[in-house]
Amino acid sequence: MDFAFSEEQEMLRRSARDFLAKECSSKVVRKLMESSDTYDEGLWKKVAGLGWTALGIRKSTGAWARFSTWS
């Protein structure tokens, strides 16, 4: 069995690593954890803009377009 990432998975992994390093440092995470509101609307919009909210939805369902642009 080959457990290596596919080219597409590797691209997503790199993209996620780069995005989170830039937008979600440990300082940001700690601030959110210490806050009563652990939701950052701006960060969520950026995540949605990348299409990550739709990763588990097949395009064939027709719902992919709606969830990939959530904001």
Side-chain angles (χ1 to χ4, degrees):
M1 247 186 213
D2 183 10
F3 291 105
F5 289 130
S6 68
E7 185 176 331
E8 187 176 66
Q9 290 169 324
E10 183 60 33
M11 191 169 56
L12 175 61
R13 187 194 68 78
R14 278 193 309 269
S15 173
R17 182 179 293 262
D18 293 346
F19 173 80
L20 293 172
K22 180 181 174 189
E23 300 290 339
C24 199
S25 67
S26 57
K27 182 178 180 180
V28 170
V29 172
R30 282 191 200 99
K31 181 180 174 186
L32 287 169
M33 288 174 59
E34 293 169 357
S35 170
S36 60
D37 183 18
T38 58
Y39 172 77
D40 182 326
E41 185 176 349
L43 182 60
W44 182 253
K45 285 183 177 187
K46 290 176 183 179
V47 166
L50 292 169
W52 293 356
T53 56
L55 285 174
I57 302 171
R58 291 184 180 154
K59 285 186 178 183
S60 62
T61 66
W64 186 86
R66 291 192 306 271
F67 287 104
S68 66
T69 57
W70 260 12
S71 57

Coordinates of all heavy atoms in Angstrom, one line a residue:
M1 N 0.8 -1.2 0.0 CA 0.0 0.0 0.0 C 0.9 1.3 0.0 O 1.8 1.3 0.7 CB -0.9 0.0 1.3 CG -2.3 -0.2 1.0 SD -3.2 0.1 2.5 CE -4.5 -1.1 2.2
D2 N 0.5 2.2 -0.8 CA 1.2 3.5 -0.9 C 0.5 4.5 -0.1 O -0.6 4.9 -0.4 CB 1.4 3.9 -2.3 CG 2.2 5.1 -2.5 OD1 2.8 5.6 -1.5 OD2 2.2 5.7 -3.6
F3 N 1.1 5.0 1.0 CA 0.4 6.0 1.9 C 0.9 7.4 1.6 O 0.6 8.3 2.3 CB 0.7 5.7 3.3 CG -0.1 4.4 3.8 CD1 0.6 3.3 4.0 CD2 -1.4 4.5 4.0 CE1 -0.1 2.1 4.4 CE2 -2.1 3.3 4.4 CZ -1.4 2.2 4.6
A4 N 1.7 7.6 0.5 CA 2.2 8.9 0.1 C 1.0 9.7 -0.4 O 0.1 9.2 -0.9 CB 3.3 8.7 -0.9
F5 N 1.2 11.0 -0.2 CA 0.2 12.0 -0.7 C 0.2 12.0 -2.2 O 1.3 11.9 -2.8 CB 0.4 13.4 -0.2 CG 0.2 13.6 1.3 CD1 1.1 14.2 2.1 CD2 -1.0 13.2 1.9 CE1 0.9 14.5 3.4 CE2 -1.3 13.4 3.2 CZ -0.3 14.1 4.0
S6 N -1.0 12.2 -2.8 CA -1.0 12.4 -4.2 C -0.5 13.8 -4.5 O -0.3 14.6 -3.6 CB -2.4 12.3 -4.7 OG -3.2 13.3 -4.2
E7 N -0.3 14.1 -5.7 CA 0.2 15.5 -6.1 C -0.8 16.5 -5.6 O -0.4 17.6 -5.1 CB 0.4 15.6 -7.6 CG 1.0 16.9 -8.0 CD 1.3 16.9 -9.5 OE1 1.5 15.9 -10.1 OE2 1.2 18.0 -10.1
E8 N -2.1 16.2 -5.8 CA -3.1 17.2 -5.4 C -3.2 17.3 -3.9 O -3.3 18.4 -3.3 CB -4.5 16.7 -5.9 CG -5.6 17.6 -5.7 CD -6.9 17.1 -6.3 OE1 -7.4 16.1 -5.8 OE2 -7.4 17.7 -7.2
Q9 N -3.0 16.2 -3.1 CA -3.0 16.3 -1.7 C -1.8 17.0 -1.2 O -1.9 17.8 -0.2 CB -3.0 14.9 -1.1 CG -4.3 14.2 -1.3 CD -4.2 12.7 -0.9 OE1 -3.2 12.0 -1.2 NE2 -5.3 12.2 -0.4
E10 N -0.7 16.8 -1.8 CA 0.6 17.5 -1.4 C 0.4 19.0 -1.7 O 0.9 19.8 -0.9 CB 1.8 17.0 -2.2 CG 3.1 17.6 -1.8 CD 3.5 17.4 -0.4 OE1 3.1 16.3 0.2 OE2 4.1 18.3 0.2
M11 N -0.2 19.4 -2.8 CA -0.4 20.8 -3.1 C -1.3 21.4 -2.0 O -1.1 22.5 -1.5 CB -1.1 21.0 -4.4 CG -1.1 22.4 -4.9 SD -1.6 22.5 -6.7 CE -3.2 21.6 -6.7
L12 N -2.4 20.7 -1.6 CA -3.3 21.2 -0.5 C -2.5 21.3 0.8 O -2.6 22.3 1.5 CB -4.5 20.3 -0.3 CG -5.4 20.6 0.8 CD1 -6.0 22.0 0.7 CD2 -6.5 19.6 0.9
R13 N -1.7 20.3 1.1 CA -0.9 20.3 2.4 C 0.0 21.6 2.4 O 0.1 22.3 3.4 CB -0.1 19.1 2.5 CG 0.6 18.9 3.8 CD 1.7 17.8 3.8 NE 2.8 18.2 3.0 CZ 3.8 19.0 3.3 NH1 3.8 19.6 4.5 NH2 4.8 19.3 2.5
R14 N 0.7 21.8 1.3 CA 1.6 23.0 1.3 C 0.8 24.3 1.4 O 1.2 25.2 2.1 CB 2.4 23.0 0.0 CG 3.6 22.1 0.0 CD 4.6 22.3 -1.2 NE 3.9 22.3 -2.5 CZ 3.8 21.3 -3.2 NH1 4.2 20.1 -2.8 NH2 3.2 21.3 -4.4
S15 N -0.3 24.3 0.7 CA -1.1 25.5 0.7 C -1.6 25.8 2.2 O -1.6 26.9 2.6 CB -2.3 25.4 -0.2 OG -3.2 26.4 -0.1
A16 N -2.1 24.7 2.8 CA -2.6 24.9 4.2 C -1.4 25.3 5.1 O -1.6 26.2 6.0 CB -3.2 23.6 4.7
R17 N -0.3 24.7 5.0 CA 0.9 25.1 5.9 C 1.2 26.5 5.7 O 1.4 27.3 6.6 CB 2.0 24.2 5.6 CG 3.2 24.4 6.4 CD 4.4 23.5 6.1 NE 4.0 22.1 6.4 CZ 4.4 21.6 7.6 NH1 5.2 22.2 8.4 NH2 4.1 20.3 7.8
D18 N 1.3 27.0 4.4 CA 1.7 28.3 4.1 C 0.7 29.3 4.7 O 1.0 30.3 5.3 CB 1.9 28.6 2.6 CG 3.1 27.8 2.1 OD1 3.9 27.3 2.9 OD2 3.2 27.7 0.8
F19 N -0.6 29.0 4.4 CA -1.7 29.9 4.8 C -1.7 30.0 6.4 O -1.8 31.1 6.9 CB -3.0 29.4 4.3 CG -4.2 30.2 4.9 CD1 -4.6 31.4 4.4 CD2 -4.9 29.7 6.0 CE1 -5.6 32.1 4.9 CE2 -6.0 30.4 6.5 CZ -6.4 31.6 6.0
L20 N -1.7 28.9 7.0 CA -1.8 28.9 8.5 C -0.5 29.6 9.1 O -0.6 30.2 10.2 CB -2.0 27.5 9.0 CG -3.3 26.9 8.7 CD1 -3.4 25.5 9.0 CD2 -4.5 27.7 9.3
A21 N 0.6 29.4 8.6 CA 1.8 30.0 9.1 C 1.7 31.5 9.0 O 2.1 32.3 9.9 CB 3.1 29.5 8.3
K22 N 1.1 32.0 7.9 CA 1.0 33.4 7.6 C -0.2 34.0 8.4 O -0.1 35.1 9.0 CB 0.7 33.7 6.2 CG 0.6 35.1 5.8 CD 0.3 35.3 4.3 CE 0.0 36.7 3.9 NZ -0.4 36.9 2.6
E23 N -1.3 33.4 8.5 CA -2.6 33.9 9.0 C -3.0 33.5 10.4 O -3.8 34.1 11.0 CB -3.7 33.6 8.1 CG -3.6 34.1 6.7 CD -3.7 35.6 6.5 OE1 -4.3 36.2 7.4 OE2 -3.2 36.1 5.5
C24 N -2.4 32.4 10.9 CA -2.9 31.8 12.1 C -1.7 31.4 13.0 O -1.5 30.2 13.3 CB -3.8 30.6 11.8 SG -4.8 30.2 13.2
S25 N -0.9 32.4 13.4 CA 0.3 32.1 14.2 C -0.2 31.6 15.6 O -1.3 31.7 16.0 CB 1.1 33.3 14.4 OG 0.4 34.3 15.2
S26 N 0.8 31.0 16.4 CA 0.5 30.6 17.7 C -0.1 31.7 18.6 O -0.9 31.5 19.4 CB 1.7 29.9 18.4 OG 2.8 30.8 18.4
K27 N 0.4 32.9 18.3 CA -0.1 34.1 19.0 C -1.6 34.3 18.8 O -2.4 34.6 19.7 CB 0.7 35.3 18.6 CG 0.3 36.6 19.3 CD 1.2 37.8 18.9 CE 0.8 39.0 19.6 NZ 1.6 40.2 19.2
V28 N -2.0 34.2 17.5 CA -3.4 34.3 17.1 C -4.2 33.2 17.8 O -5.3 33.5 18.3 CB -3.6 34.3 15.6 CG1 -5.0 34.2 15.2 CG2 -2.9 35.5 15.0
V29 N -3.7 32.0 17.8 CA -4.4 30.9 18.4 C -4.6 31.1 19.9 O -5.7 30.9 20.4 CB -3.7 29.5 18.1 CG1 -4.4 28.4 18.8 CG2 -3.7 29.2 16.6
R30 N -3.6 31.5 20.5 CA -3.7 31.7 22.0 C -4.7 32.8 22.3 O -5.5 32.7 23.2 CB -2.3 32.1 22.5 CG -1.4 31.0 22.7 CD -0.1 31.3 23.5 NE 0.9 30.4 23.3 CZ 1.9 30.5 22.4 NH1 2.0 31.7 21.7 NH2 2.8 29.6 22.2
K31 N -4.7 33.9 21.5 CA -5.6 35.0 21.7 C -7.0 34.5 21.6 O -7.9 34.8 22.4 CB -5.3 36.1 20.7 CG -6.2 37.3 20.9 CD -5.9 38.4 19.8 CE -6.9 39.5 19.9 NZ -6.7 40.5 18.8
L32 N -7.3 33.7 20.6 CA -8.6 33.1 20.4 C -9.0 32.2 21.5 O -10.2 32.1 21.9 CB -8.8 32.4 19.0 CG -8.8 33.4 17.8 CD1 -8.6 32.6 16.5 CD2 -10.1 34.2 17.8
M33 N -8.1 31.4 21.9 CA -8.3 30.4 23.0 C -8.7 31.1 24.3 O -9.5 30.6 25.1 CB -7.2 29.5 23.2 CG -7.0 28.5 22.1 SD -5.5 27.4 22.2 CE -5.8 26.6 23.8
E34 N -8.1 32.2 24.6 CA -8.3 33.0 25.8 C -9.5 33.9 25.7 O -10.0 34.4 26.7 CB -7.0 33.8 26.1 CG -5.8 33.0 26.5 CD -4.5 33.8 26.5 OE1 -4.6 35.0 26.3 OE2 -3.5 33.1 26.8
S35 N -10.0 34.1 24.6 CA -11.2 34.9 24.4 C -12.5 34.1 24.6 O -12.5 32.9 24.5 CB -11.2 35.4 22.9 OG -12.4 36.0 22.6
S36 N -13.5 34.8 25.0 CA -14.8 34.1 25.1 C -15.4 33.8 23.7 O -16.3 32.9 23.6 CB -15.8 35.0 25.9 OG -16.0 36.2 25.2
D37 N -15.0 34.5 22.7 CA -15.4 34.3 21.3 C -14.2 33.7 20.5 O -13.3 34.3 20.1 CB -15.8 35.6 20.7 CG -16.4 35.4 19.3 OD1 -16.8 34.2 18.9 OD2 -16.5 36.4 18.5
T38 N -14.3 32.3 20.3 CA -13.2 31.7 19.7 C -13.3 31.6 18.2 O -12.6 30.9 17.5 CB -13.0 30.2 20.2 OG1 -14.3 29.5 20.0 CG2 -12.7 30.2 21.7
Y39 N -14.2 32.4 17.6 CA -14.5 32.5 16.2 C -13.9 33.8 15.7 O -14.2 34.9 16.2 CB -16.0 32.4 16.0 CG -16.5 32.7 14.6 CD1 -16.3 31.7 13.6 CD2 -17.0 33.9 14.2 CE1 -16.8 31.9 12.3 CE2 -17.5 34.1 12.9 CZ -17.3 33.1 12.0 OH -17.8 33.3 10.7
D40 N -13.1 33.7 14.6 CA -12.6 34.9 13.9 C -13.2 35.0 12.6 O -12.9 34.2 11.7 CB -11.1 34.8 13.9 CG -10.4 36.0 13.2 OD1 -11.0 36.6 12.3 OD2 -9.3 36.3 13.6
E41 N -14.1 35.9 12.4 CA -14.9 36.0 11.1 C -14.0 36.2 9.9 O -14.1 35.7 8.9 CB -15.9 37.1 11.2 CG -16.8 37.2 10.0 CD -17.9 38.2 10.1 OE1 -18.2 38.7 11.2 OE2 -18.6 38.5 9.1
G42 N -13.0 37.1 10.1 CA -12.0 37.4 9.0 C -11.3 36.2 8.6 O -11.1 35.9 7.4
L43 N -10.8 35.4 9.6 CA -10.0 34.2 9.3 C -10.9 33.2 8.6 O -10.6 32.5 7.6 CB -9.4 33.6 10.5 CG -8.6 32.4 10.4 CD1 -7.4 32.6 9.4 CD2 -8.1 31.9 11.7
W44 N -12.2 33.0 9.1 CA -13.1 32.1 8.5 C -13.4 32.5 7.0 O -13.5 31.6 6.1 CB -14.4 32.1 9.3 CG -15.4 31.1 8.7 CD1 -16.5 31.4 8.0 CD2 -15.3 29.7 8.8 NE1 -17.2 30.2 7.7 CE2 -16.4 29.2 8.1 CE3 -14.4 28.8 9.3 CZ2 -16.7 27.8 8.0 CZ3 -14.7 27.4 9.2 CH2 -15.8 27.0 8.5
K45 N -13.5 33.8 6.7 CA -13.8 34.2 5.3 C -12.6 33.8 4.4 O -12.8 33.4 3.3 CB -14.1 35.7 5.3 CG -15.5 36.0 5.8 CD -15.7 37.5 5.7 CE -17.2 37.8 6.1 NZ -17.6 39.2 5.9
K46 N -11.4 34.0 5.0 CA -10.2 33.6 4.2 C -10.2 32.1 3.9 O -9.9 31.7 2.8 CB -9.0 34.1 4.9 CG -8.8 35.6 4.9 CD -7.6 36.0 5.7 CE -7.5 37.5 5.8 NZ -6.3 37.9 6.6
V47 N -10.5 31.3 4.9 CA -10.6 29.9 4.8 C -11.6 29.5 3.7 O -11.4 28.7 2.8 CB -10.8 29.2 6.1 CG1 -11.2 27.7 6.0 CG2 -9.6 29.3 7.0
A48 N -12.8 30.1 3.8 CA -13.9 29.8 2.9 C -13.4 30.3 1.5 O -13.7 29.6 0.5 CB -15.1 30.6 3.3
G49 N -12.7 31.4 1.4 CA -12.3 31.9 0.1 C -11.3 30.9 -0.6 O -11.2 30.8 -1.8
L50 N -10.6 30.1 0.2 CA -9.7 29.1 -0.3 C -10.5 27.8 -0.8 O -9.9 26.9 -1.4 CB -8.6 28.7 0.7 CG -7.6 29.8 1.0 CD1 -6.8 29.4 2.3 CD2 -6.7 30.0 -0.2
G51 N -11.7 27.7 -0.4 CA -12.5 26.6 -0.8 C -12.5 25.4 0.2 O -13.0 24.4 0.0
W52 N -11.8 25.6 1.4 CA -11.6 24.6 2.3 C -12.9 24.1 3.0 O -13.0 23.0 3.4 CB -10.7 25.0 3.4 CG -9.3 25.2 2.9 CD1 -8.8 24.9 1.7 CD2 -8.2 25.6 3.7 NE1 -7.4 25.2 1.6 CE2 -7.0 25.6 2.8 CE3 -8.0 26.0 5.0 CZ2 -5.8 26.0 3.3 CZ3 -6.8 26.4 5.4 CH2 -5.7 26.4 4.6
T53 N -13.9 25.0 3.0 CA -15.2 24.6 3.6 C -15.9 23.5 2.8 O -16.9 22.9 3.3 CB -16.1 25.8 3.8 OG1 -16.3 26.4 2.5 CG2 -15.5 26.8 4.8
A54 N -15.5 23.3 1.5 CA -16.2 22.4 0.7 C -15.3 21.1 0.4 O -15.7 20.3 -0.5 CB -16.5 23.1 -0.7
L55 N -14.3 21.0 1.1 CA -13.4 19.8 0.8 C -14.0 18.5 0.9 O -13.7 17.6 0.1 CB -12.1 19.9 1.7 CG -11.1 20.9 1.3 CD1 -10.0 21.0 2.3 CD2 -10.5 20.7 -0.1
G56 N -15.0 18.3 1.7 CA -15.6 17.0 1.9 C -16.9 16.8 1.1 O -17.6 15.9 1.2
I57 N -17.1 17.8 0.1 CA -18.4 17.7 -0.6 C -18.0 17.4 -2.1 O -17.2 18.2 -2.7 CB -19.1 19.0 -0.5 CG1 -19.5 19.3 0.9 CG2 -20.4 19.0 -1.4 CD1 -20.0 20.7 1.2
R58 N -18.6 16.4 -2.7 CA -18.3 16.1 -4.1 C -18.9 17.1 -5.0 O -20.1 17.6 -4.8 CB -18.9 14.7 -4.4 CG -18.1 13.6 -3.8 CD -18.7 12.3 -4.2 NE -18.0 11.2 -3.6 CZ -18.5 10.0 -3.4 NH1 -19.7 9.8 -3.8 NH2 -17.8 9.1 -2.8
K59 N -18.3 17.5 -6.0 CA -18.8 18.4 -7.0 C -20.1 17.9 -7.6 O -21.0 18.7 -8.0 CB -17.8 18.7 -8.1 CG -16.7 19.6 -7.7 CD -15.8 20.0 -8.8 CE -14.7 20.9 -8.4 NZ -13.8 21.4 -9.5
S60 N -20.2 16.6 -7.8 CA -21.3 16.0 -8.4 C -22.6 16.2 -7.6 O -23.7 16.1 -8.2 CB -21.1 14.5 -8.6 OG -21.0 13.9 -7.4
T61 N -22.6 16.6 -6.4 CA -23.8 16.9 -5.6 C -24.4 18.2 -6.0 O -25.6 18.5 -5.6 CB -23.5 16.9 -4.1 OG1 -22.7 18.0 -3.8 CG2 -22.9 15.6 -3.6
G62 N -23.7 19.1 -6.6 CA -24.2 20.4 -6.9 C -24.0 21.4 -5.7 O -24.2 22.6 -5.9
A63 N -23.7 20.9 -4.6 CA -23.6 21.8 -3.4 C -22.2 22.4 -3.3 O -22.0 23.4 -2.6 CB -23.9 21.0 -2.1
W64 N -21.3 21.8 -4.0 CA -19.9 22.2 -3.9 C -19.7 23.7 -4.2 O -19.1 24.4 -3.4 CB -19.0 21.5 -4.9 CG -17.6 21.8 -4.7 CD1 -16.7 21.2 -3.9 CD2 -16.8 22.7 -5.4 NE1 -15.5 21.7 -3.9 CE2 -15.5 22.7 -4.9 CE3 -17.1 23.7 -6.4 CZ2 -14.5 23.5 -5.3 CZ3 -16.0 24.5 -6.8 CH2 -14.8 24.4 -6.3
A65 N -20.4 24.3 -5.2 CA -20.2 25.7 -5.5 C -20.7 26.6 -4.4 O -20.1 27.6 -4.1 CB -21.0 26.0 -6.8
R66 N -21.8 26.2 -3.7 CA -22.3 27.0 -2.7 C -21.3 27.0 -1.5 O -21.0 28.1 -0.9 CB -23.7 26.5 -2.2 CG -24.8 26.7 -3.2 CD -26.1 26.4 -2.6 NE -26.3 25.1 -2.0 CZ -26.6 24.0 -2.6 NH1 -26.9 24.1 -3.9 NH2 -26.7 22.9 -2.0
F67 N -20.8 25.9 -1.1 CA -20.0 25.8 0.1 C -18.6 26.3 -0.2 O -17.9 26.7 0.8 CB -19.9 24.4 0.6 CG -21.2 24.0 1.3 CD1 -22.1 23.1 0.7 CD2 -21.5 24.5 2.6 CE1 -23.3 22.8 1.3 CE2 -22.7 24.1 3.2 CZ -23.6 23.3 2.6
S68 N -18.1 26.2 -1.4 CA -16.7 26.7 -1.7 C -16.6 28.2 -1.7 O -15.5 28.7 -1.6 CB -16.3 26.1 -3.0 OG -17.0 26.7 -4.1
T69 N -17.7 28.9 -1.6 CA -17.7 30.3 -1.6 C -18.4 30.9 -0.4 O -18.7 32.1 -0.4 CB -18.4 30.9 -2.9 OG1 -19.7 30.4 -2.9 CG2 -17.6 30.5 -4.1
W70 N -18.5 30.1 0.6 CA -19.1 30.6 1.9 C -18.4 31.8 2.4 O -17.2 31.8 2.4 CB -19.1 29.5 3.0 CG -20.3 28.8 3.1 CD1 -21.4 28.8 2.4 CD2 -20.6 27.9 4.2 NE1 -22.3 27.9 2.9 CE2 -21.9 27.3 4.0 CE3 -19.9 27.5 5.3 CZ2 -22.4 26.4 4.8 CZ3 -20.4 26.5 6.2 CH2 -21.7 26.0 5.9
S71 N -19.1 32.8 2.8 CA -18.5 33.9 3.5 C -19.6 34.7 4.3 O -20.7 34.5 4.1 CB -17.8 34.8 2.6 OG -18.6 35.3 1.5

